[in-house]
Amino acid sequence: MPEFVREGRLFRVVSFAASHRQLLVRSDATLIDGTDTRVEVYFGHVELMLLKPIYEKGLRIRRATETEFAELRERHELAEGDASYTWMIDPAGSSFVVSGAPSWREAARTFEDPSLFDISQPWPPDFPVESGTVG
């Protein structure tokens, strides 16, 4: 999947494990945005990120264009080889992550349920889930 788009949902940065360089962004089901599923996006091997804690209008995760990467490379001293690993994450293109290919999972879950990326849980789970990788 070249892009991951979930517009009209409230997403939050819910965890970053610096020791493992892992980032997790989540949108829980809410009456406010009329959703009934949880969506989680996992970024592994994070090298650099510029994020907002909350994305009120949803996410659009895609590889940075050549022009975007050139600007980010100059501003943040990125290596040329980082171009394939630079992901723009919001519709406005103001946030980005340099990491491995992002993975996503979506399922009907309550707020209290464990993360869809919780390694202590069986995979695949015994409930319906959609999943994929960006890139």
Side-chain angles (χ1 to χ4, degrees):
M1 163 183 281
E3 288 189 0
F4 172 82
V5 180
R6 291 295 185 281
E7 296 175 335
R9 294 187 69 128
L10 175 72
F11 279 85
R12 290 185 177 101
V13 174
V14 293
S15 73
F16 176 68
S19 61
H20 294 295
R21 298 175 17 216
Q22 298 172 330
L23 169 68
L24 188 65
V25 181
R26 174 186 297 157
S27 176
D28 282 300
T30 66
L31 293 175
I32 294 169
D33 57 21
T35 58
D36 60 1
T37 59
R38 174 190 289 175
V39 179
E40 295 181 0
V41 183
Y42 166 86
F43 297 83
H45 306 288
V46 175
E47 291 289 327
L48 178 67
M49 58 186 170
L50 177 64
L51 302 170
K52 298 186 287 184
I54 297 173
Y55 294 89
E56 295 179 356
K57 298 180 181 179
L59 293 182
R60 177 181 174 219
I61 302 172
R62 60 184 173 74
R63 189 169 274 126
T65 65
E66 287 182 27
T67 303
E68 289 168 329
F69 181 74
E71 184 177 319
L72 293 173
R73 182 177 181 214
E74 182 176 320
R75 187 180 305 150
H76 301 285
E77 300 179 6
L78 299 176
E80 184 63 39
D82 289 339
S84 297
Y85 306 102
T86 302
W87 308 96
M88 308 307 289
I89 67 168
D90 67 330
S94 59
S95 298
F96 71 96
V97 178
V98 178
S99 72
S103 296
W104 62 272
R105 295 179 180 172
E106 182 170 2
R109 307 304 289 155
T110 66
F111 186 80
E112 297 80 19
D113 287 332
S115 168
L116 295 167
F117 285 95
D118 183 341
I119 62 170
S120 71
Q121 302 297 309
W123 190 260
D126 61 358
F127 52 84
V129 64
E130 292 183 50
S131 63
T133 303
V134 183

